[in-house]
Each structure stands twice: as structure tokens, then as C-alpha cells.
């Protein structure tokens, strides 16, 4: 479904990604781990099409389509979703209003009929229940005054409503206490299915106790230096990234 | 004076000779301003002597005044001697014959705002039968209102039919020599609206200039007077969202509101005069004096404005809170895009005890627009336990525009409670990217973010007006990002 080949990208003259290869198939959950500054978040931003990041070499394909040719909203319409590390506040814009606009913009782009207020509300309520989000959150302005946990849960809710093909979760676990982490993970697990894939970006192994990945990749210095099954995450937990470095010398 | 009188008499003769219809079609005063011109205007309107004297006194005061230059706006000086101060309504011959003759850009905007064809024709000044439809609508409304004793008519009609009311209230809130533009208006005002709500009457409908076809030709010096007698209520809507065609560059209107004991006046404006092209050429100068007097105890005046048009806006709807426990409110959204400049805000003058005021101002600057909030809150010594809450937020779109805030606070009574909040934000790339990532295009993202920013003001507008205002904002900011 997602094929990243030889991806190089830079921000303000600084090369951050130096040849990333990644292949994700439908139904799979991939974890991308790595120390600070390894390029994890850059990878997420480049996938979503953030302007400040310049791709200098390589390719990204989603379902055989070249993502680099597409604007961020077109990538969203194609089924790419990014759960932000720092969800953005939009004062005065109601959460459910925002989501309705998002859903209908996507449906319109796909040539589907837009949902009316009643149908949308039904969908929203059902999804909120699925990922265990309180309805009160729906009536508040987008992320404004939300706690860290509420913001992350709101991202998961948006994902549940938008039903992406591929969801990229950028450090969704950062800043969450264990209860919030469990709720968020349960939300993600509820959305796992054979047609949908996840790329879970995280610094810590902790999240992966709750979202068990099929594949784990270690990103370091802008390259994936090791890949393996979920056991790799536990190895990292024990040895740390530095310990892994010794092991993977020459890999 | 003899010559002036002769001229008027001669003109009056001629008018009579040709009869009323031809009179309307042919009369236009030559450019320039003088006592003769003012006498001519007054005579044309068949005004009583006291009103002519009132105009002349304003004019003599105006002659000694200097055009204010303290506002944070720049514009080409106005040549007051090149303006025609009296022009009769245009005859059908001078009007466009159909919408085909109207600037396609204006038509495109009508289209975007979803204005029905008939109304488009009306707004564009096309000579069509649609006019008669709206006249009859207006007449129906007026009959219903008159059953309740509500007077809603043009200012000129009020001078003829209700001279005692006009004389009693005119200039009591905005004195005829109040300021340069108000004095000019007082000397030469063309027409406008007059509203009187009798004691205890709650006006059953929103009063709107939109439905009054004669308001389409009130000209550049509009004069409005609204009186709410004890315990009454009225909601008045001014302007409309569609851009109105107008050849006069200078607009200097005066609005006076009087609220007696327990009366409430809600005054909502949507101003969308031509802002000029992208270089700022040809736009309207909008220099307005609006003031309300909360005369009686527990009276309330609420101003809500959405200002998206005009090249230059100079406007400070104010409240004088004279009655004890009276309330003043000001809710404003002002947009300046391209080369537009807006210097707008309010004055809240607390005189009575326990008076309270609320100010919520949202300024939006895009392109090379400059937006200034200028507000003054004065708590006089007599205003025991007065309260004010002010919130002034500015939003910048792009990096070539400007936002400025000048709050003046003057407190002479130590029991006053004042709160002032201000913020400036920039529509962030990350806000737009966030919306994009959720599938929302940049242009829709901007209008969504801006509408969210203005929400506190929009919810003060009457329902249909609020919907129109949102759409208008979208259209006004089109192309301002990316």
C-alpha cells in the first residue's frame, strides 16, 4: 500500500532523511522507532506533504500513486491521515463542525455525496463511542483549551471519523499518562482491519505494549538501520538505542 | 442673501412650472458647498425654517473646523468644492438597462453571495419592475407597524409628517457641530431613516433599510434617527452584504439613537461599500459618526458591525450611558484586505451609576490592509460602580498587512471595574496545514479559521444577517492566502 524508496528530504538546507526505504501492506501495523533527531517526525511530515520539507531524492507511493505530485489535502482525500504530535488549536471552530467539513471535503473530492447534518451526527456519535471519546468534546472548539490527553484522543476520533487507508501516528504517546495511553491504544486497535495500515512513530516501546506492531523499524541518522518483528521493540527497551548501535554496526 | 433668496425663488418657480415629476428628474445642484447650496437643498425638501437654520449653523461651524488627521489612515485629500451636494434620484434613462451593463466582477460577487436575480437588479440600480414589488412589500410592512404606532419612514418624510419629534431629538446625541464630518453631514444631509417606537412597544420585526427602496438613493450624506420610548424594543439592520454601486466617493453618515427608560435598541450594520481595486483606486471613503444615548434608567444600546467594504473606514459607534444601570455594547468585525484601511472602534462614556459596557472587537488584516482598533472608555466621577469589559483581537493573514490597537481608558471614579484583553494572532501555516491534512482546502480553511475568530460577534447578529456575514467574509478574503 505504501512504498517509500530511497527517500531523501531536507529542511532549511539540512538533510534529515538520507535514503529511507519502507514498505507497508494493507492490514499491517509498522512501528518506526528512533532516538531524538533521527528523522521520525520529518518522515511523518514528508508523508503528509508539509511544504517546509523538501524531498531531494526518492519516491513515495500510496496505492501506486505518486504522493509527491499531490497537495496535502489531496493526500488526505487519497486516504492518508496524520495524527499530529502537537495537534493545532482552531479557536471558535466547533470540533464537530470541523470534522463535518473534513468529511464532506473528502467525500466531495472522491465524487461521493456529502453527508447532511443528521447523517453526519449519527456517524460522529457512533465513532466517538467506538474510540471512547466523550460527546462534550465534540461541542468544544477544535483542540482549544484541551488537555494533552484530550488532544491526542481527539486525533484518534478524527481518524475514526475519516476512516483512512493509511494512518500515520506521530508520537501519539508523548505526554500521555498510562490511562490515556491505554484509551488511545484501544481506539487505534478498534480501527485495525485488513484494509487499513498504520505507521506508528514513537520514541518509547511503552505504546507498543498496547498497539502490537507487525513490524518494527529503527530510524537513526535519517536511515532505517534495522527492521524486525515486535520483539525488536523489547530489545530496544533493554539495550537502548546506543546498545543497538553496537549490534548493528555494519548492518 | 438677496441673491440666494432670489435663486431659490427662481428655482422654486421653475419646479412648480414643470411639476413634481420633471422636477425630480432634472434637479441637480452644481458642485460646491455654500450657504446658497444649503438653502437650495432645504428648499428642495420643503423644510421648515428651523431646520434650514440648523443646517446653516452646522455649515458655519464646519467652515471653522479642520479635517481630522489623527486616524491611522492615509488618503488623497477630498476636494469639498468638487462634490455635488444635491442630486435627485436618477431617472430610468440614466440607469443601466439590464444586468448586462453591470461590471462583471460585481455580478460574480452577487452570484457568490447567492443573491436572487431580482435583488441583484435592484442593488445594481437597474431600472426594472422589481422596484415596484419591493415598494409594495415595504407598504405592507409599514401598515402593520403603524397599527402599533411605530413610525418607520425616510428622514425627509419624518420632517414633513412628524416635525415635532424630529425637532425634539435631532442633534441631541450628535450635536450639529460635533466633529468635521458630522458637521458636514448636518449641513447637507440628503436622506436616511427615521424610527420611533412608542412606549412599551416591542417592534415585531427587524427594521431594515434593505426593504425600503427609497433608502437606495439616500446618497452620500445619510442621516438616521432612532428613538425608543420607555420600555420599547427595536432591532434595526443597516446596509446589506451585497456590494452596492455608488459613484460618490465620500460617505459621511450620522446615526443618532435615543433609548429611554427600560428601552433597548439593537443596531446591526453590514457595510460592504466598494473597497477599490487591488491597488486601492476608486474605493469609498466611509467617515461615519454613530452615537447612542442611553437616556433612561436600565436602557440598553447594542451596536454590532461587520465592516468589510470601503477603501478607508473611520467609524466609532459609541454609547453615552447616562441613565443609571444602563448598558452599552459594541461588537465589531472589521476586515481590511488589499489596500483597505480601517480605523474603527467605539467610545463608551459612563455617566450614570452602575452603568456597564462590553466591547468585543475583531480586526482582520490581509493583503496590504491596515486595521486599527481605537476605543475609548471613560468613567466619569458620577459613574459609581461602573464596569467595562473590553476584548480586542487582531488577526493577520500574510506578512504585508498591519494591525494596530489604541485603547484609551480614563477613569475618574475609583469604584470602577475595568477589564481589558487584547491579542494578536497570525493565521498559522500549521493551522492551515492541519486543515489541509484533514482534507480541507486552503481557501476553505482560511474562511473557517476566520469565522471561528469572529464567532463572538456573529452570534450577536440577527440570524439571516449572520449567515450572510459569514459568506461575505469568505468572499472578502478570497485569494488572500497562497
Amino acid at each position: 500500500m505504501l512504498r517509500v524508496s530511497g527517500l531523501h528530504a531536507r529542511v532549511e538546507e539540512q538533510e534529515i532523511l538520507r535514503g529511507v526505504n519502507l514498505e507497508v501492506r494493507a492490514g499491517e501495523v509498522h512501528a518506526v522507532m528512533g532516538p531524538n533527531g533521527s528523522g521520525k517526525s520529518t518522515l511523518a511530515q514528508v508523508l503528509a506533504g508539509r511544504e517546509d520539507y523538501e524531498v531531494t531524492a526518492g519516491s513515495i507511493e500510496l496505492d501506486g500513486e505518486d504522493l509527491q505530485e499531490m497537495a496535502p489535502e489531496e493526500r488526505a482525500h487519497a486516504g492518508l491521515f496524520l495524527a499530529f504530535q502537537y495537534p493545532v488549536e482552531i479557536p471558535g471552530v466547533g470540533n464537530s463542525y470541523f470534522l463535518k467539513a473534513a468529511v464532506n471535503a473528502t467525500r466531495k473530492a472522491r465524487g461521493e455525496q456529502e453527508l447532511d447534518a443528521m447523517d453526519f451526527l449519527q456517524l460522529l456519535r457512533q465513532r466517538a463511542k467506538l474510540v471512547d471519546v466523550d460527546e462534550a468534546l465534540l461541542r468544544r472548539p477544535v483542540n482549544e483549551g484541551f488537555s494533552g490527553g484530550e488532544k491526542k484522543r481527539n486525533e484518534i476520533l478524527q481518524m475514526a471519523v475519516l476512516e483512512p487507508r493509511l494512518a500515520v501516528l506521530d508520537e501519539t504517546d508523548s505526554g500521555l499518562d498510562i490511562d490515556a495511553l491505554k484509551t488511545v491504544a484501544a481506539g487505534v486497535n478498534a480501527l485495525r482491519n485488513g484494509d487499513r495500515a498504520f505507521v506508528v512513530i514513537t520514541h518509547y516501546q511503552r505504546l507498543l505494549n498496547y498497539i502490537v506492531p507487525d513490524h518494527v523499524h529503527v530510524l537513526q541518522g535519517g536511515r532505517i538501520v534495522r527492521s524486525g518483528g515486535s520483539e525488536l521493540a523489547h530489545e530496544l527497551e533493554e539495550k537502548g538505542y546506543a546498545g543497538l548501535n553496537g549490534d548493528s554496526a555494519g548492518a | 442673501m438677496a441673491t440666494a433668496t432670489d435663486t431659490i425663488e427662481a428655482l422654486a418657480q421653475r419646479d412648480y412650472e414643470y411639476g413634481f415629476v420633471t422636477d425630480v428628474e432634472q434637479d441637480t445642484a452644481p458642485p460646491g458647498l455654500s450657504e446658497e447650496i444649503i438653502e437650495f437643498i432645504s428648499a428642495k425638501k420643503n423644510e421648515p425654517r428651523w431646520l434650514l437654520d440648523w443646517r446653516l449653523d452646522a455649515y458655519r461651524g464646519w467652515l471653522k473646523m479642520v479635517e481630522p488627521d489623527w486616524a491611522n489612515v492615509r488618503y488623497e485629500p477630498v476636494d469639498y468644492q468638487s462634490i455635488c451636494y444635491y442630486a435627485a434620484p436618477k431617472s430610468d434613462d440614466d440607469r443601466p438597462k439590464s444586468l448586462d451593463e453591470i461590471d462583471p466582477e460585481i455580478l460574480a460577487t452577487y452570484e457568490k453571495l447567492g443573491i436572487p436575480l431580482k435583488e441583484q437588479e435592484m442593488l445594481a440600480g437597474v431600472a426594472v419592475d422589481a422596484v415596484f414589488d419591493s415598494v409594495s412589500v415595504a407598504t405592507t410592512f409599514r401598515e402593520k407597524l403603524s397599527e402599533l404606532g411605530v413610525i418607520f419612514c425616510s428622514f425627509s418624510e419624518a420632517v414633513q409628517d412628524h416635525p415635532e419629534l424630529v425637532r425634539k431629538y435631532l442633534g441631541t446625541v450628535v450635536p450639529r457641530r460635533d466633529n468635521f464630518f458630522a458637521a458636514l453631514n448636518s449641513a447637507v444631509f440628503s436622506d436616511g431613516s427615521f424610527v420611533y417606537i412608542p412606549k412599551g412597544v416591542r417592534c415585531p420585526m427587524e427594521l431594515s433599510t434593505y426593504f425600503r427602496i427609497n433608502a437606495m438613493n439616500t446618497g452620500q450624506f445619510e442621516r438616521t434617527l432612532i428613538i425608543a420610548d420607555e420600555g420599547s424594543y427595536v432591532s434595526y439592520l443597516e446596509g446589506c452584504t451585497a456590494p452596492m454601486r455608488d459613484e460618490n466617493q465620500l460617505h459621511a453618515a450620522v446615526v443618532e439613537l435615543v433609548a429611554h427608560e427600560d428601552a433597548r435598541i439593537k443596531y446591526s450594520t453590514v457595510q460592504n461599500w466598494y473597497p477599490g481595486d487591488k491597488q486601492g483606486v476608486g474605493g469609498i471613503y466611509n467617515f461615519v459618526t454613530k452615537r447612542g444615548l442611553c437616556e433612561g434608567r436600565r436602557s440598553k444600546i447594542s451596536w454590532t458591525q461587520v465592516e468589510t467594504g470601503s477603501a478607508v473606514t473611520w467609524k466609532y459607534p459609541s454609547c453615552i450611558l447616562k441613565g443609571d444601570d444602563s448598558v452599552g455594547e459594541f461588537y465589531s468585525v472589521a476586515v481590511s484586505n488589499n489596500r483597505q484601511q480601517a480605523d474603527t472602534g467605539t467610545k463608551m462614556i459612563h455617566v450614570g451609576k452602575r452603568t456597564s459596557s462590553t466591547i468585543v472587537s475583531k480586526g482582520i488584516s490581509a493583503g496590504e490592509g491596515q486595521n486599527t482598533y481605537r476605543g475609548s472608555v471613560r468613567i466619569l466621577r458620577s459613574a459609581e460602580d461602573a464596569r467595562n469589559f473590553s476584548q480586542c483581537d487582531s488577526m493577520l493573514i500574510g506578512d504585508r498587512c498591519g494591525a494596530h490597537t489604541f485603547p484609551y481608558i480614563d477613569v475618574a471614579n475609583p469604584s470602577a471595574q475595568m477589564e481589558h484583553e487584547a491579542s494578536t494572532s497570525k493565521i498559522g501555516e500549521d493551522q492551515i496545514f492541519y486543515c489541509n491534512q484533514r482534507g480541507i482546502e486552503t481557501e476553505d480553511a482560511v474562511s473557517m479559521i476566520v469565522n471561528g475568530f469572529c464567532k463572538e460577534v456573529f452570534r450577536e447578529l440577527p440570524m439571516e444577517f449572520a449567515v450572510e456575514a459569514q459568506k461575505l467574509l469568505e468572499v472578502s478574503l478570497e485569494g488572500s492566502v497562497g
Side-chain angles (χ1 to χ4, degrees):
Chain A
M1 176 195 285
L2 174 71
R3 179 175 288 151
V4 179
S5 325
L7 185 66
H8 288 250
R10 64 181 181 191
V11 189
E12 293 170 357
E13 303 300 306
Q14 197 187 347
E15 188 161 55
I16 308 236
L17 298 182
R18 303 173 192 188
V20 173
N21 297 302
L22 181 66
E23 179 145 9
V24 178
R25 281 182 290 271
E28 293 179 343
V29 174
H30 287 242
V32 175
M33 303 183 69
N36 289 331
S38 59
K40 299 189 303 286
S41 283
T42 300
L43 178 62
Q45 300 285 325
V46 168
L47 289 176
R50 181 100 195 203
E51 235 180 62
D52 315 337
Y53 295 78
E54 191 194 346
V55 173
T56 50
S59 67
I60 316 168
E61 283 177 17
L62 181 66
D63 290 323
E65 287 200 69
D66 183 2
L67 281 189
Q68 281 173 258
E69 293 293 307
M70 296 156 90
E73 62 271 24
E74 291 169 332
R75 299 180 194 209
H77 301 154
L80 178 84
F81 180 89
L82 171 64
F84 284 62
Q85 184 179 359
Y86 304 109
V88 179
E89 297 187 3
I90 310 180
V93 177
N95 215 4
S96 62
Y97 178 83
F98 174 76
L99 263 174
K100 182 164 173 259
V103 166
N104 280 336
T106 302
R107 293 183 74 98
K108 201 172 162 191
R110 290 177 183 162
E112 298 164 7
Q113 197 170 0
E114 295 179 38
L115 293 183
D116 63 26
M118 289 309 288
D119 289 344
F120 174 75
L121 195 66
Q122 209 171 2
L123 171 76
L124 183 62
R125 285 196 171 138
Q126 191 247 328
R127 297 282 126 173
K129 212 168 174 180
L130 181 70
V131 296
D132 194 21
V133 164
D134 187 14
E135 282 196 28
L137 210 64
L138 306 176
R139 287 187 289 269
R140 287 163 59 186
V142 182
N143 294 323
E144 195 187 13
F146 284 26
S147 69
E150 285 174 329
K151 283 186 183 173
K152 296 301 174 78
R153 284 162 75 164
N154 195 33
E155 294 292 287
I156 303 302
L157 171 67
Q158 293 187 12
M159 178 168 76
V161 172
L162 289 165
E163 304 182 287
R165 281 276 286 155
L166 173 73
V168 179
L169 276 56
D170 187 7
E171 305 220 15
T172 298
D173 52 335
S174 67
L176 294 188
D177 62 30
I178 191 72
D179 291 333
L181 186 75
K182 281 183 185 169
T183 318
V184 164
V188 171
N189 287 327
L191 295 170
R192 282 175 84 155
N193 68 35
D195 297 325
R196 182 172 294 144
F198 290 84
V199 174
V200 180
I201 291 171
T202 180
H203 186 88
Y204 300 106
Q205 185 269 340
R206 193 177 65 152
L207 177 67
L208 305 181
N209 289 335
Y210 304 100
I211 304 173
V212 180
D214 302 300
H215 301 275
V216 175
H217 310 276
V218 180
L219 190 66
Q220 229 169 352
R223 260 186 225 107
I224 288 179
V225 295
R226 251 186 93 177
S227 297
S230 63
E231 72 288 347
L232 179 57
H234 293 284
E235 193 186 327
L236 276 173
E237 180 80 348
E238 282 169 34
K239 297 186 185 168
Y241 291 108
L244 189 83
N245 244 356
D247 276 7
S248 66
Chain B
M1 288 307 285
T3 41
T5 317
D6 288 348
T7 318
I8 295 161
E9 269 176 12
L11 286 164
Q13 269 323 104
R14 201 181 66 194
D15 293 346
Y16 187 74
E17 219 173 87
Y18 293 111
F20 182 71
V21 178
T22 21
D23 147 24
V24 173
E25 275 188 310
Q26 290 187 349
D27 283 351
T28 300
L33 186 51
S34 62
E35 298 207 354
E36 286 73 22
I37 292 288
I38 291 165
E39 283 164 10
F40 170 75
I41 294 170
S42 191
K44 284 305 299 175
K45 293 175 164 291
N46 193 26
E47 287 176 353
R49 180 75 215 182
W50 69 264
L51 189 50
L52 171 61
D53 290 340
W54 195 86
R55 286 177 181 273
L56 288 172
D57 184 69
Y59 173 67
R60 289 168 197 144
W62 180 77
L63 285 176
K64 289 180 230 146
M65 292 180 184
V66 184
E67 195 167 336
D69 61 357
W70 43 262
N72 188 23
V73 293
R74 265 155 209 77
Y75 54 91
E76 289 293 309
V78 177
D79 178 2
Y80 292 94
Q81 292 305 331
S82 73
I83 294 173
C84 287
Y85 291 88
Y86 185 87
K90 281 196 168 180
S91 77
D92 283 1
D93 292 344
D94 296 333
R95 290 157 165 248
K97 298 289 173 295
S98 77
L99 284 175
D100 299 339
E101 294 175 33
I102 307 299
D103 180 356
E105 213 163 298
I106 293 183
L107 293 182
T109 311
Y110 287 160
E111 207 62 44
K112 286 176 203 155
L113 291 167
I115 294 170
L117 201 65
K118 285 244 167 179
E119 281 179 37
Q120 290 189 20
E121 290 174 332
M122 208 170 99
L123 292 164
V126 173
V128 285
D129 290 349
V131 167
F132 296 110
D133 295 348
S134 32
V135 167
S136 66
V137 169
T139 314
T140 320
F141 274 174
R142 212 192 278 191
E143 274 167 14
K144 202 172 159 193
L145 291 172
S146 70
E147 283 170 22
L148 293 163
V150 172
I151 303 168
F152 177 36
C153 61
S154 74
F155 201 95
S156 305
E157 286 172 288
V159 169
Q160 302 305 318
D161 301 344
H162 310 281
E164 69 300 337
L165 284 172
V166 176
R167 192 167 187 178
K168 183 173 170 190
Y169 289 102
L170 181 67
T172 55
V173 189
V174 179
R176 55 185 180 262
R177 294 180 173 196
D178 186 78
N179 67 65
F180 184 83
F181 297 115
L184 178 63
N185 175 289
S186 300
V188 300
F189 67 83
S190 32
D191 209 336
S193 303
F194 178 85
V195 176
Y196 174 79
I197 314 289
K199 277 184 193 173
V201 170
R202 188 185 163 88
C203 187
M205 62 188 79
E206 317 265 2
L207 297 185
S208 166
T209 47
Y210 194 66
F211 286 110
R212 257 194 34 239
I213 194 63
N214 53 357
M216 303 300 288
N217 265 309
T218 45
Q220 57 201 126
F221 301 104
E222 192 169 351
R223 183 108 200 169
T224 298
L225 177 56
I226 299 176
I227 301 133
D229 217 327
E230 289 172 24
S232 67
Y233 168 80
V234 63
S235 169
Y236 185 88
L237 312 184
E238 178 203 11
C240 65
T241 48
M244 279 208 244
R245 222 168 58 94
D246 197 296
E247 282 134 21
N248 303 308
Q249 186 166 44
L250 174 70
H251 279 247
V254 171
V255 175
E256 296 180 278
L257 312 181
V258 181
H260 287 288
E261 196 166 296
D262 292 308
R264 286 187 294 145
I265 301 176
K266 184 174 174 59
Y267 193 104
S268 312
T269 306
V270 171
Q271 184 266 117
N272 189 23
W273 295 108
Y274 183 55
D277 63 16
K278 292 216 159 80
Q279 276 66 50
V281 176
I284 302 276
Y285 298 165
N286 194 26
F287 302 140
V288 188
T289 304
K290 290 185 168 175
R291 197 175 300 155
L293 173 63
C294 283
E295 166 76 40
R297 286 181 292 166
R298 296 176 300 275
S299 55
K300 178 175 174 181
I301 289 178
S302 183
W303 298 101
T304 307
Q305 60 172 27
V306 176
E307 301 280 319
T308 60
S310 298
V312 182
T313 301
W314 180 100
K315 182 183 173 191
Y316 317 90
S318 307
C319 296
I320 301 169
L321 304 168
K322 186 175 162 202
D324 291 346
D325 300 291
S326 60
V327 176
E329 292 176 336
F330 174 74
Y331 298 94
S332 169
V333 167
V335 179
S336 32
N337 195 2
N338 298 320
R339 296 287 177 95
Q340 281 178 280
Q341 309 170 69
D343 191 312
T344 183
T346 185
K347 275 193 270 184
M348 293 289 174
I349 300 165
H350 293 250
V351 184
K353 297 185 180 69
R354 296 173 303 278
T355 46
S356 73
S357 59
T358 302
I359 299 171
V360 177
S361 161
K362 306 279 181 178
I364 298 159
S365 321
E368 291 172 60
Q370 295 295 326
N371 211 312
T372 301
Y373 168 78
R374 187 183 304 277
S376 160
V377 179
R378 288 183 61 194
I379 312 280
L380 303 193
R381 193 179 297 260
S382 54
E384 200 68 34
D385 294 319
R387 302 183 64 153
N388 163 262
F389 171 78
S390 301
Q391 183 188 334
C392 309
D393 299 321
S394 310
M395 177 174 269
L396 303 169
I397 303 175
D399 49 15
R400 288 173 300 149
C401 54
H404 317 269
T405 303
F406 300 99
Y408 304 87
I409 296 172
D410 181 1
V411 179
N413 186 313
S415 64
Q417 285 183 50
M418 313 284 293
E419 281 178 76
H420 186 96
E421 291 175 10
S423 76
T424 302
S425 57
K426 204 172 160 181
I427 284 204
E429 304 251 308
D430 40 346
Q431 279 178 324
I432 292 174
F433 180 66
Y434 191 71
C435 295
N436 288 159
Q437 210 301 306
R438 298 303 183 247
I440 300 163
E441 285 174 34
T442 300
E443 207 135 87
D444 296 335
V446 169
S447 73
M448 183 188 284
I449 295 165
V450 168
N451 275 316
F453 175 73
C454 299
K455 199 174 189 177
E456 289 152 285
V457 175
F458 285 164
R459 73 174 170 220
E460 295 297 324
L461 287 171
M463 193 59 174
E464 336 87 78
F465 235 34
V467 175
E468 284 180 33
Q470 287 196 18
K471 256 198 245 168
L472 174 61
L473 220 62
E474 268 166 47
V475 174
S476 306
L477 290 170
E478 229 166 55
S480 59
V481 167

